[in-house]
Amino acid sequence: MGKQLLSIRLEDETLEKMKVIAEACERDTAYIARKAIEEHIEREHWVIEETCKRMADIDQGKASFASNEDVRARAYKRARGEG
């Protein structure tokens, strides 16, 4: 797997926080930035893939959306310890 250089601009506050994390982890800021980007990309990629799968299930009649009322009722039931 190859690597490519990416240049980005960060707010000063973000960069300072990244430096604190890098120091605490005994890593450089490039490592912290790379890991943060990789983790974010993996998470977002998973969300998109799963959303596409669920939408395909709905299109094929294998699943359906819950109404707001159903979701609200289930949430209240769980909050009361009933489910």
Side-chain angles (χ1 to χ4, degrees), residues 12-29:
D12 291 340
E13 183 179 343
T14 302
L15 185 56
E16 289 306 313
K17 288 177 182 178
M18 189 166 52
K19 287 177 182 177
V20 169
I21 294 168
E23 187 175 318
C25 296
E26 298 180 357
R27 297 287 191 160
D28 59 27
T29 54

Side-chain angles (χ1 to χ4, degrees), residues 48-65:
I48 291 168
E49 281 189 333
E50 291 301 311
T51 300
C52 289
K53 287 178 189 175
R54 296 308 149 252
M55 294 304 291
D57 287 347
I58 290 167
D59 290 344
Q60 297 169 10
K62 297 178 183 177
S64 62
F65 288 104

Side-chain angles (χ1 to χ4, degrees), residues 23-82:
E23 187 175 318
C25 296
E26 298 180 357
R27 297 287 191 160
D28 59 27
T29 54
Y31 174 85
I32 301 302
R34 185 173 54 254
K35 295 308 281 184
I37 292 168
E38 288 171 353
E39 289 174 14
H40 178 77
I41 296 299
E42 283 301 313
R43 188 172 43 252
E44 291 300 309
H45 187 262
W46 179 86
V47 167
I48 291 168
E49 281 189 333
E50 291 301 311
T51 300
C52 289
K53 287 178 189 175
R54 296 308 149 252
M55 294 304 291
D57 287 347
I58 290 167
D59 290 344
Q60 297 169 10
K62 297 178 183 177
S64 62
F65 288 104
S67 69
N68 287 342
E69 294 77 23
D70 289 341
V71 171
R72 187 176 300 113
R74 290 177 73 184
Y76 285 134
K77 191 174 181 179
R78 282 188 180 173
R80 292 190 304 263
E82 299 172 8

